[in-house]
Amino acid sequence: MIYLDNAATTLIKPPAVSAAVNKAIKSMASPGRGAHRPAMAAANEVYNCREAAAGLFNVDEPERVVFTMNATHGLNIAIKSMAHQGSRVLISGFEHNSVVRPLKAVGADVTVAGRELFDSENLLRDFERKISGMELVVCTHVSNVFGYILPIYEVAELCREYSVPLIVDASQSAGILPVDMKKLGAAFIAMPGHKGLFGPQGTGILLCGEEGKTLIEGGSGSDSISEFMPDYLPDRLEAGTHNVCGIAGLRAGIEFVKLKGTENILSHEKKLLRIMKKSLAGSDYELFTGDSHNQSGVISLRKRNTDCESLAEKLYERDICVRSGLHCAPLAHKSAGTIDTGTVRFSFSPFISADQVKSCCRILRGIV
């Protein structure tokens, strides 16, 4: 099998991840729910993961690392903490439904800026033209469909200049590109655990520059006498029992990223991207590509008069795992002009080899 759907979930994990999950299942209980050895082991594991994430993402206080179920959960907390009915919100033209739908749900007045694919200058000009009077900016760091790396640090600078809070969707950049909480100065940064951080599904992180409003309420293992959630992080936003086993695996994934280095991970993925672009150059496929600076290890393609789902099925038959369709991001497809067809997406990881990508390209050419 050649697994090229890492933008959805990194299936191939470092061995330490499954080992950490297995150990947690056998030896850890619930943090904050007792002083016995299994409970304390869980509390230590959860705190160690907070510290590891704080170190990777340059967060001063580990308590501002909040664990979520996934990036969608974190984005819902962030957006519903900052936006309400009528809020004027500026977003990029490449946002995922995890941004668009919560904004629509609260009744925000949404403006879209930067619709040109792989054109950072256009995005920044459009943001600067439209940001005045906005109450919130929500912006993805990397498009999940096209691998387009948006100029998030320049967007953050604009937000500071106009005193507009920023929420960053780091779903496709965490673990691959530098995500620096201090430099971004964001109100919130949301990310999944199961993609570039190599954690299990059901894990995520929300970095909190703001305190945030509760999305759900319940037991926190602290201040149990109060009828209200604690007013301090992370307890305020972590109602209920933690996913200790998932968090243990996530910590192992984060440690792998720190050891490997995001710059090395990105370099490897860009190498695979170049191989695919070169191998399919001159073919009947339309590839959506940028330059070496503004595309990560994600590439979409389509073929005229060929249904993307059918093309993906032919790849599945040859044991190649990809993603086809609209990828939960119709706004990105509208911006790129692919809303009527969708695309077939290929996404890489450190565990994908150059030979695997070349083999995939030979099969693609054979299908044509």
Side-chain angles (χ1 to χ4, degrees):
M1 180 182 71
I2 301 176
Y3 185 81
L4 297 174
D5 194 20
N6 294 281
T9 291
T10 48
L11 178 65
I12 305 169
K13 315 283 190 186
V17 171
S18 56
V21 172
N22 188 48
K23 179 182 177 182
I25 288 172
K26 293 178 178 179
S27 63
M28 297 179 193
S30 298
R33 272 72 170 178
H36 50 75
R37 185 183 300 170
M40 294 307 295
N44 288 336
E45 185 63 44
V46 169
Y47 185 75
N48 288 339
C49 189
R50 279 192 221 284
E51 281 202 314
L56 181 60
F57 301 116
N58 198 17
V59 180
D60 276 337
E61 304 168 45
E63 293 77 13
R64 292 192 170 272
V65 175
V66 167
F67 293 116
T68 61
M69 295 184 291
N70 43 52
T72 299
H73 181 195
L75 285 166
N76 269 265
I77 293 172
I79 288 168
K80 291 172 183 178
S81 294
M82 306 294 290
H84 50 77
Q85 180 74 35
S87 292
R88 300 189 65 196
V89 182
L90 184 62
I91 67 173
S92 84
F94 295 90
E95 300 306 316
H96 191 275
N97 277 342
S98 295
V99 167
V100 176
R101 287 177 173 174
L103 287 170
K104 292 294 183 182
V106 300
D109 178 8
V110 178
T111 299
V112 180
R115 306 295 295 263
E116 299 297 323
L117 183 58
F118 298 117
D119 192 338
S120 298
E121 291 183 5
N122 166 267
L123 183 138
L124 290 172
R125 283 196 305 270
D126 212 12
F127 262 74
E128 187 163 19
R129 186 167 61 88
K130 296 176 179 178
I131 196 171
S132 180
M134 291 294 166
E135 299 169 68
L136 177 66
V137 169
V138 188
C139 190
T140 189
H141 193 175
V142 178
S143 165
N144 70 303
V145 180
F146 302 104
Y148 170 28
I149 301 173
L150 279 67
I152 195 67
Y153 288 92
E154 290 84 351
V155 169
E157 183 61 38
L158 274 175
C159 289
R160 282 191 290 273
E161 183 180 340
Y162 286 85
S163 299
V164 180
L166 170 66
I167 295 172
V168 177
D169 178 2
S171 294
Q172 300 296 333
S173 60
I176 300 165
L177 290 165
V179 177
D180 190 310
M181 184 66 170
K182 282 186 187 176
K183 287 184 180 178
L184 287 166
F188 296 97
I189 302 175
M191 62 191 71
H194 64 99
K195 298 186 182 184
L197 298 179
F198 300 99
Q201 294 95 322
T203 61
I205 289 172
L206 181 65
L207 307 178
C208 300
E210 300 288 336
E211 297 303 305
K213 296 180 181 178
T214 59
L215 192 63
I216 58 174
E217 296 78 33
S220 61
S222 57
D223 290 347
S224 294
I225 197 168
S226 175
E227 294 179 342
F228 299 95
M229 289 298 290
D231 60 2
Y232 50 85
L233 295 172
D235 302 46
R236 178 171 177 75
L237 301 179
E238 291 183 352
T241 300
H242 292 79
N243 177 6
V244 175
C245 301
I247 291 169
L250 176 58
R251 180 166 80 96
I254 290 173
E255 295 296 350
F256 170 82
V257 170
K258 291 168 76 173
L259 182 65
K260 188 84 173 174
T262 55
E263 66 281 0
N264 294 321
I265 291 172
L266 181 63
S267 176
H268 177 74
E269 292 190 10
K270 285 194 171 188
K271 174 187 174 184
L272 301 180
L273 183 68
R274 290 193 298 271
I275 289 171
M276 190 163 200
K277 288 165 66 174
K278 183 178 180 181
S279 298
L280 295 179
S283 71
D284 289 341
Y285 292 106
E286 179 185 8
L287 275 66
F288 295 88
T289 63
D291 60 33
S292 60
H293 302 293
N294 64 4
Q295 188 170 16
S296 66
V298 176
I299 185 170
S300 271
L301 59 76
R302 63 181 178 179
K303 184 180 179 295
R304 188 183 300 276
N305 299 323
T306 300
D307 179 68
C308 285
E309 301 289 349
S310 299
L311 177 56
E313 284 290 337
K314 291 179 181 180
L315 291 169
Y316 302 155
E317 291 167 3
R318 292 156 176 81
D319 221 10
I320 297 175
C321 304
V322 295
R323 173 88 183 269
S324 60
L326 297 182
H327 316 91
C328 300
L331 180 59
H333 284 280
K334 288 177 183 176
S335 295
T338 54
I339 189 66
D340 293 332
T341 62
T343 60
V344 180
R345 183 187 69 188
F346 302 76
S347 47
F348 309 125
S349 89
F351 297 101
I352 302 301
S353 71
D355 286 342
Q356 286 177 311
V357 173
K358 290 175 183 176
S359 177
C360 174
C361 291
R362 285 195 296 270
I363 291 169
L364 278 167
R365 283 184 169 275
I367 290 173
V368 170

